[in-house]
Amino acid sequence: MSIHLELAAMIEAEFARELDGPLEQRQDALVLSLQNGVRLTIHYAAQDAYSLRWQFEGGEAGIDTAPLHQGLGTFPHHYHAPDGQVRDDPLTSPGQAPVDNLRRLLQALAASPRLEARATG
């Protein structure tokens, strides 16, 4: 089963109430909207290669595994905060199953699109 199909099945089973409309399945991504105004684009090329980007009222943020920020404690994965800073990734890990990473992110985004309670430093 492809990673995106597995992720779509988990989203529809566990987050149907939080969704604001149907899940969009694209060739290389999933796109969803949450009832709190978050719009999330999910790209998973492999378990250790992903980009999770979201927009919300007043900003945008994301988590990805591009190996660009070697000074971070969570290198290569990192968090692009709404203020433009790049910080340690507070939620995901390339060693975890994609469904587990996405589940943690969706739970956090439902609580706070800016991840204020999780992203420090």
Side-chain angles (χ1 to χ4, degrees), residues 59-75:
E60 62 180 69
I63 292 173
D64 67 68
T65 58
L68 302 174
H69 307 283
Q70 295 180 10
L72 294 174
T74 60
F75 178 81

Side-chain angles (χ1 to χ4, degrees), residues 30-45:
L30 296 172
V31 180
L32 61 85
S33 295
L34 299 176
Q35 291 184 9
N36 65 359
V38 169
R39 183 161 174 86
L40 173 64
T41 302
I42 303 157
H43 292 275
Y44 254 95

Side-chain angles (χ1 to χ4, degrees), residues 49-63:
Y50 51 87
S51 173
L52 310 166
R53 306 289 295 181
W54 61 95
Q55 296 85 36
F56 53 91
E57 186 176 336
E60 62 180 69
I63 292 173

